[in-house]
């Protein structure tokens, strides 16, 4: 009957039951693939094969796929398994069940309850109706649960935890018995019994619980009646307990509480970004401006806030308004500044001397503040005279007013005065000037300090982070400011205080837009250099730069780094200075002053980098030469623009020697140009001595600066000769004698000897090596020399070949399998038929032998025919494994067949 | 008789006459001989104080007399006195000719006087008028000529013009530049050259040892505006076309031109010159004068004298000397010593710096110079570099490097390794005039080491080169010779 398949499955079963190691260790299962060469260190995957295992795997696979297809062949119907997630291996079984349940419920619900309006589905929790549970919801106690948990009946545990222990037990007993039907029945009964039991128990428990509830309620009531009596007593009893516990608790608790109440690190305020700061600044200014405007219009709004600001320390609170703003000459009308008089006229004309200029960087600010204060006072005086009328009037009036109505909040006059004050105050916001004229208009008539404020406010109001176009505006502003500074310097008298005030603003702008600042400065310097070059080409010499150019050069030194090896602004500036020093002949004391200023600038430029400026030394020695009286037998050579003798070669020679006594050192004024001619001889001599002292000071600085140069001696040889032979100490005033001796000492100290020049030592260049280069070849057998693409193509080709072969093999195996199946089908059919025939023959009894013989004969002839056919096929297509296999089988069959009755099951032996 | 009458009348009428019809007067004179006396009107207006009148009168004169010259209406030959002619035994035709010739002479005299006028326009028109006369006279000579001996050229007129152009009081450079266009003509140039020579010798003999700045300046301007032809075939442009014996005419011979040119220059340079004139002459000498002389060696005296003057003049004389040494085998003793002494701090500031360094480079390019000399030059230049402006430094540093490259034995100047690390004082003697004794070879170029700290980045970089062995390739100095501060600035940005 179903033997052949069973047998096969048995073999498989045996194989399956065996563990992998068992199979591997079984010599009959293992096939060892012989290797041609042993390669050390190579691990091959396929040295041992398990043909049996792999074959059975392959057959199983085919059974699942190919056989099914074969059986489904020519069939229209199809069995579809629509169980949810049946073939989804990824899904967890619990999920599967849940989903199925959900779907089921849904289906039921949909069908039944589409038109069901009233009846709601009963909600349950663990199988209990929620509605029921809610009824005694409050009464559920932990006690109850524990009680319930405490109930550990054997049956319950058995039913709950034993996995149906009872059932199992019965099952085992049932196993001994044979029948399965009975088993099912008893199980059902059992379950029903169980359910009944549990229901009963439940009911009992509920009853118990209700009773307990009643009892507790009763107890509660009783407790309440007693509680009042117990109030006093209980704390004591507790206290008796606590002292023991307290020390332990306290430390920890204290700590916890302390920590709890401790101030936590508050999130600090975020650092503001520059944009925000700028915005804040602008807002502040705008607010101030709005306030000012409001006061100017005369509204009474911010009085309370503003008032304290107006109170001075000396205010006696007597109602006098001593508004200092009133006294300023500045006034603001219709958005324009008008002012009676240039206040700068009073400005001192004595300006900072060059030496001072350098010091000024450090402590200049304070000095200016002082001087500013003085100026303001002057201003105040002058302005008081001007608008004294109105002041007086208002003061008088206000006096009257205040005397009559001291408590009145704000009189008309006060309002008016405030208005005036607002007018006088600077506006807080300014539009960025669009042209140079705009800037001039904006700054015209202001004190230096106010001009600085205006520029600063303009800059804040137009900070680049506030609006897109502001960057460009401010860049322009830098150019305009530079131009303005130049103009200030060309005015007579030059307004250098203002220049000084504006420089910090220039600096901030320069820091903001280094590139634009660079370009602006470059263009100014370039123009100057170009014009000088042109003059030189025409005349052969040029005049010294004017004051504005000197200021520009100074500003350059302040704004840009001077010590850079190469800087797009400072290098041309230095070149310009040096060119001026070589090409501009000295024809007057003014020229000499300018030249000395340039020298100061030059020294300032190189003070950090200590670079060598030949022009500087030339100019200084030339200047000293101007002071030499006897111009014969010189021990030095002069360099242009100075000449040995000529009209201007005695510029610094003193007209009389008496002036030495009366002279005291003064600073060299920059704006001396105009008045010099009018001076007396003595004044001139003093001026000469000033020049000489500046010059000597510069020489001293240079000495210190260039001390380390290898040819220091030769560089300073002319100066040395001048000082030691021609400008003798006796002829000089005392302060200069000091300089003189200091310089000579410095020159004497300088080292005379130097070590010889040699090239820098270089690393020797290694000789060229001629030994062959050895390259290790690590990948023998691989095709080398081909490109990556070629190798890839080769690899693909190889892979394709392999796959192709594999596919062919698989197809062959498939067809073999199918043929086998077909054959077995045929065999089965035959056997079936034979069996039936046999049965029939047996039934008939007598005619059996005949039938049997006939049957066998027919069978034999049939088989022979089949065999022939197969043979032909094999000769035709010998490679087909399936037919080969068949033939083998046939052969077996035919060998066995003569004379013996073939049992149907023995076909496959 | 009639003529005098007429003259009287015309002189009376003259002030009333309007001057606009000066053209018509010319027409009238040329039309009929009866109105010949109107010529006085023209001469009168020529004397007028107004420049416009003078100019118009000059042009009228030029038209009138050149037409008359063409018609041969002017007396030819030795001119008799006017009164004599009136009384003498002349035909009316001759009398007219004599009269007109006299008027012509007085006109020329007046025009020559106008060459000293202060207004340039007047001078210019007068000059063109005179040159027209000269051309007309050349074509129609006023002298009786023996054709076999003389060639017709108004030598006297040209001499007079030149004498007047070379003024002693006013600077006539503008007029001379105008005159230059006539100098393009070969015969004019030739005769002008000889007239200059005559004029210069006459004037300078008179004022010996006195410097006539304006006069010498005028002479120099005129002489330097002479463009000499380089080939005889170029001599084609003549003012006066000679009819006969063209081959013998000196103005057609280049060698005669050259001789005249040479004589003129030597005659000029013979006398003492102001310093500025020296410079001017020396600037153009080597390429405008020397090539056109027959014997350039005649300039040796002048050049050596100039070379000994010192300063900028010596620098400039160097150029002429170079031409002589190079092309004419001049052997100049102590040339290099003098060259060495020319190196002063002012060299770097002089206007002719580029030219000087170009020449020094040429002189020192010989590889046969002794090492001590080259070393002396290198050391001296380095010492002077301590006072030089950056533009000069950019020339001097490569210059020194080139010297060291050409003469490898000078390498000790920048590389002299010694066993013991001794320090020594600079043995170089700056004041020594003889390069042999200045001990430059024992020294090192510490000055360049100093310049490594120079403020200008390019200079500092150039000075850094001595830290390592110099590359073999020589630097091309001609690129940096003309560099200006402005260019340096532009390189910067």
């Amino acid at each position: 009957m179903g033997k052949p398949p069973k047998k096969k499955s048995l073999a498989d079963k045996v194989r399956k039951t065996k563990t992998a190691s068992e199979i591997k260790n079984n010599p009959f299962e293992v096939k060892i693939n012989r290797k041609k060469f042993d390669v050390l260190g190579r691990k091959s995957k396929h040295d041992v094969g398990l043909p049996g295992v792999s074959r059975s795997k392959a057959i199983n696979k085919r059974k699942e796929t190919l056989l099914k297809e074969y059986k489904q062949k020519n069939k229209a119907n199809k069995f579809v398994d629509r169980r949810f997630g049946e073939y989804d291996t990824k899904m967890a079984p619990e999920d599967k069940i849940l989903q199925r349940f959900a779907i089921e419920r849904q289906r039921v619900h949909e069908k039944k309850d589409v038109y069901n309006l009233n009846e709601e589905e009963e909600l349950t929790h663990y199988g209990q109706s929620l509605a029921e549970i809610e009824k005694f919801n409050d009464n559920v106690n932990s006690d109850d649960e524990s009680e319930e948990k405490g109930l550990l009946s054997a049956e319950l545990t058995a039913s709950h935890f034993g996995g149906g222990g009872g059932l199992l037990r019965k099952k085992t007993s049932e196993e001994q018995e044979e029948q399965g039907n009975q088993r099912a029945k008893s199980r059902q009964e059992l379950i029903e019994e169980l359910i009944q039991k549990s229901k009963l128990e439940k009911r009992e428990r509920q009853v118990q619980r209700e009773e307990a509830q009643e009892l507790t309620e009763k107890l509660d009531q009783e407790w309440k009646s007693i509680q009042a009596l117990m109030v006093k007593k209980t704390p004591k009893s507790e206290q008796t307990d606590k002292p023991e516990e307290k020390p332990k608790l306290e430390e920890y608790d204290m700590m916890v509480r302390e920590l709890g109440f401790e101030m936590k690190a508050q999130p600090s305020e975020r650092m503001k970004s520059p944009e925000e700061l700028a915005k804040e600044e602008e807002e502040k200014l705008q607010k101030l401006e709005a306030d000012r405007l409001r006061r100017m219009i005369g509204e009474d709004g911010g009085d309370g806030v503003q008032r304290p600001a107006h109170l001075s320390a000396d205010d006696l609170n007597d109602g006098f308004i001593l508004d200092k703003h009133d006294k300023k000459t500045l006034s603001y009308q219709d958005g324009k500044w008008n002012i009676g008089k240039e206040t700068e006229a009073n400005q001192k004309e004595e300006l900072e001397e060059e030496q001072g200029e350098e010091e000024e960087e450090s402590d200049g600010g304070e000095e200016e503040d002082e001087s500013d204060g003085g100026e303001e006072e002057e201003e105040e005086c002058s302005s008081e005279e001007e608008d004294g009328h109105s002041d007086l009037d208002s003061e008088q009036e206000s006096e009257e007013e205040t005397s009559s109505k001291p408590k009145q909040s704000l009189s008309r006059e006060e309002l008016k005065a405030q208005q005036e004050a607002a007018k006088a105050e600077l506006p807080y916001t300014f539009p960025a000037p669009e042209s140079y004229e705009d800037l001039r208009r904006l700054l015209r008539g202001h004190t230096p300090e106010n001009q600085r404020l205006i520029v600063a406010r303009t800059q804040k109001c137009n900070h680049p982070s506030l609006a897109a176009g502001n960057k460009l505006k401010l860049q322009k502003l830098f150019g305009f400011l530079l131009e303005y500074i130049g103009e200030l310097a060309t005015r007579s008298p030059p307004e250098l205080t203002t220049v000084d005030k504006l420089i910090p603003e220039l600096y901030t702008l320069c820091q903001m837009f280094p590139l634009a600042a660079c370009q602006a400065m470059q263009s100014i310097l370039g123009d100057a250099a170009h014009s000088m070059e042109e003059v030189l080409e025409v005349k052969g010499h040029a005049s010294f730069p004017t004051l504005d150019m000197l200021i520009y050069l100074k500003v350059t030194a302040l704004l840009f780094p001077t010590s850079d090896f190469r800087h797009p602004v400072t290098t041309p500036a230095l070149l310009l200075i040096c060119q001026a020093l070589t090409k501009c002949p000295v024809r007057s004391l003014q020229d000499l002053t300018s030249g000395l200023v340039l020298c100061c600038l030059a020294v300032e430029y190189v003070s950090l980098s200590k670079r060598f400026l030949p022009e500087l030394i030339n100019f200084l020695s030339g200047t000293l030469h101007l002071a030499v009286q006897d111009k014969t037998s010189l021990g030095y050579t002069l360099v242009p623009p100075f000449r040995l003798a000529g009209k201007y070669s005695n510029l610094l020679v003193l007209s009389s020697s008496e002036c030495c006594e009366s002279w005291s050192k003064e600073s060299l004024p920059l704006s001396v140009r105009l008045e010099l001619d009018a001076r007396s001889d003595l004044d001139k001599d003093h001026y000469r001595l000033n020049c000489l002292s500046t010059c000597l000071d510069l020489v001293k600085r240079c000495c210190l600066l260039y001390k380390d140069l290898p040819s220091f001696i030769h560089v300073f040889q002319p100066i040395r000769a001048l000082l030691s032979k021609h400008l003798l100490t006796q002829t000089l005033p005392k302060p200069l004698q000091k300089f003189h001796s200091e310089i000579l000492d410095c020159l004497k100290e300088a080292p005379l000897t130097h070590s010889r020049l040699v090239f820098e030592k270089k690393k020797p260049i290694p000789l060229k090596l001629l030994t062959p280069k050895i390259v290790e070849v690590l990948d023998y057998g691989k095709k080398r020399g081909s490109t990556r693409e070629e190798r890839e193509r080769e690899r693909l080709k190889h892979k394709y070949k392999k796959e192709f072969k594999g596919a062919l093999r698989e197809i062959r195996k498939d067809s073999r399998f199918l043929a086998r199946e077909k054959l077995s089908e045929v065999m089965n059919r035959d056997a079936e038929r034979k069996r039936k025939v046999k049965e029939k023959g047996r039934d008939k009894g007598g005619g059996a032998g005949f039938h049997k013989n006939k049957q066998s004969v027919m069978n034999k002839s049939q088989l022979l025919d089949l065999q022939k056919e197969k043979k032909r096929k094999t000769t035709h297509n010998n490679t087909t494994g399936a037919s080969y296999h068949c033939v083998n089988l046939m052969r077996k069959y035919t060998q066995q067949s003569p004379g013996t009755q073939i049992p149907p099951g023995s076909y496959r032996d | 008789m009639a003529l005098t009458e007429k003259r009287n009348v015309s002189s009376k009428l003259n002030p009333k006459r309007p001057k606009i019809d000066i053209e018509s007067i010319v027409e009238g004179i040329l039309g009929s001989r009866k109105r010949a006396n109107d010529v006085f009107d023209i001469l009168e207006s020529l004397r007028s104080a107004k420049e416009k009148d003078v100019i118009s009168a000059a042009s009228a004169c030029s038209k009138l007399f050149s037409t008359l010259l063409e018609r041969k209406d002017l007396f030819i030959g030795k001119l008799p006195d006017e009164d004599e002619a009136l009384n003498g035994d002349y035909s009316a035709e001759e009398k007219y000719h004599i009269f007109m010739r006299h008027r012509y002479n007085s006109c020329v005299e007046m025009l020559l006087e106008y060459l000293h006028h202060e207004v340039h326009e007047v001078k210019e028109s007068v000059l063109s008028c005179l040159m027209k006369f000269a051309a007309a006279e050349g074509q129609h000579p006023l002298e009786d000529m023996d054709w076999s001996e003389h060639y017709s050229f108004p030598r006297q007129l040209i001499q007079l013009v030149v004498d007047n152009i070379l003024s002693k009081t006013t600077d006539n450079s503008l007029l001379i530049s105008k005159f230059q266009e006539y100098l393009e003509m070969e015969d004019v140039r030739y005769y002008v050259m000889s007239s200059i020579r005559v004029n210069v010798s006459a004037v300078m003999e008179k004022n010996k040892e006195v410097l006539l700045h304006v006069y010498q300046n005028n002479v120099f301007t005129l002489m330097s505006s002479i463009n000499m032809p380089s080939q005889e075939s170029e001599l084609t442009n003549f003012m006066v076309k000679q009819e006969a014996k063209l081959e013998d005419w000196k103005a057609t011979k280049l060698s005669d031109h050259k001789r005249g040119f040479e004589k003129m220059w030597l005659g000029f340079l013979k006398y003492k010159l102001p310093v500025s004139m020296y410079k001017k002459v020396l600037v153009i000498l080597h390429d405008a004068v020397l090539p056109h002389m027959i014997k350039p060696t005649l300039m040796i005296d002048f050049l050596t004298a100039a070379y000994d003057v010192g300063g900028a003049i010596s620098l400039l004389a160097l150029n002429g000397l170079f031409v002589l040494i190079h092309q004419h085998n001049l052997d100049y003793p102590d040339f290099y010593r003098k060259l060495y002494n020319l190196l002063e701090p002012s060299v770097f500031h002089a206007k002719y710096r580029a030219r000087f360094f170009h020449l020094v480079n040429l002189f020192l390019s010989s590889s046969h110079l002794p090492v001590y000399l080259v070393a002396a030059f290198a050391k001296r230049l380095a010492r002077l570099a301590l006072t030089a402006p950056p533009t000069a430094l950019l020339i001097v540093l490569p210059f020194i490097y080139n010297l060291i490259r050409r003469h490898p034995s000078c390498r000790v100047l920048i590389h002299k390794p010694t066993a013991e690390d001794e320090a020594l004082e600079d043995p170089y003697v700056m004041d020594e005039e003889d390069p042999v004794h200045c001990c430059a070879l024992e020294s090192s170029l510490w000055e360049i080491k100093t310049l490594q700290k120079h403020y200008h980045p390019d200079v500092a970089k150039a000075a850094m080169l001595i830290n390592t062995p110099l590359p073999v390739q020589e630097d091309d100095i001609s690129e940096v010779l003309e560099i200006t501060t402005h260019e340096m600035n532009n390189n910067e940005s």
Side-chain angles (χ1 to χ4, degrees), chain B residues 424-449:
Chain B
L424 75 163
E425 218 173 311
D426 197 347
Y428 175 70
V429 190
M430 183 74 172
D431 301 328
E432 175 63 53
E433 286 190 357
D434 194 348
V436 185
H437 305 298
C438 70
C439 312
L441 263 181
E442 280 94 77
S443 178
S444 282
L445 296 180
W446 288 292
E447 289 84 1
I448 298 183
K449 194 96 186 159

Side-chain angles (χ1 to χ4, degrees), chain A residues 370-553:
Chain A
E370 285 167 19
S371 68
D372 250 33
E375 273 163 33
E376 266 174 45
E377 276 171 16
E378 286 171 6
E379 270 166 43
E380 279 166 19
C381 293
S382 64
S383 58
E384 260 180 343
E385 284 167 8
E386 275 175 37
D387 47 17
H389 279 300
S390 58
D391 253 3
L392 273 174
D393 287 354
S394 67
E395 269 177 45
Q396 281 170 352
E397 277 175 73
S398 65
E399 208 173 353
E400 287 166 17
E401 290 274 339
T402 44
S403 61
S404 60
K405 289 180 183 176
K407 286 287 174 180
Q408 205 177 14
S409 65
L410 266 181
S411 67
R412 196 175 59 81
E413 275 66 31
E414 274 174 321
L415 252 178
K416 200 177 158 191
Q418 211 178 24
Q419 226 167 308
E420 292 263 307
K423 274 181 191 172
E425 212 175 317
L426 274 177
Y428 290 96
T429 55
F430 292 92
E434 288 296 320
S435 68
Y436 175 54
E437 275 306 309
D438 280 359
L439 182 75
R440 276 184 60 187
R441 222 173 292 133
L442 199 63
L443 297 180
R444 190 182 297 142
H446 287 269
T447 58
E449 182 57 33
N450 277 343
Q451 293 193 11
R452 188 193 69 76
L453 264 179
I454 290 171
V455 175
R457 285 175 183 174
T458 314
Q459 192 190 317
K460 274 174 194 161
C461 290
N462 297 288
H463 195 271
S465 56
L466 295 176
N470 279 353
K471 197 176 170 191
L472 203 69
K473 279 182 193 167
L474 286 188
Q475 284 176 354
K476 273 189 198 163
L477 180 66
F478 183 83
F480 298 150
L481 271 183
L482 272 187
E483 211 175 319
Y484 185 63
I485 283 175
E487 197 205 290
L488 287 178
T490 46
R491 280 183 197 170
S492 63
E495 297 170 21
L496 295 190
T497 345
T498 319
V499 172
D500 212 59
K501 290 277 169 196
L502 288 176
I503 280 176
E505 299 311 316
L506 267 183
Y507 184 78
T508 42
L509 279 173
C510 178
Q511 294 304 307
M512 273 165 124
F513 316 107
L515 210 68
C518 229
Q519 279 167 353
M521 212 57 185
Q522 257 179 338
S523 73
I524 286 175
L525 293 174
D527 286 350
H530 190 68
S531 61
M532 185 186 263
E533 195 84 10
E534 278 178 346
V535 172
L536 275 178
E537 262 175 37
V538 178
K539 285 199 211 158
H541 57 80
S543 56
F544 272 98
T546 47
L547 185 59
D548 56 331
M549 203 57 227
L550 298 180
I551 298 281
Y552 280 138
L553 288 171

Side-chain angles (χ1 to χ4, degrees), chain B residues 160-217:
Chain B
L160 284 172
V161 169
V162 167
D163 288 350
N164 283 294
I165 284 178
L166 298 176
S167 153
K168 277 165 220 155
T169 50
T170 51
D171 182 15
N172 272 341
S173 50
L174 271 173
L175 188 64
I176 289 166
S177 66
K178 171 77 184 161
F179 190 59
Q180 199 176 1
E181 62 190 53
Y182 301 105
L183 290 174
E184 294 298 312
M185 290 177 276
E186 325 296 340
D187 44 357
V188 177
R189 188 194 309 127
Y190 179 75
Y191 288 107
V192 164
M193 286 195 294
S194 57
S195 339
I196 292 171
R197 182 166 48 87
V198 171
N199 182 267
V200 166
S201 61
V203 172
M204 295 310 284
E205 283 302 318
K206 244 187 251 168
N207 320 290
K208 269 197 175 166
E209 301 302 313
V210 182
L211 294 175
L212 304 163
H213 285 270
V214 180
Y215 173 73
Q216 278 175 325
N217 203 20

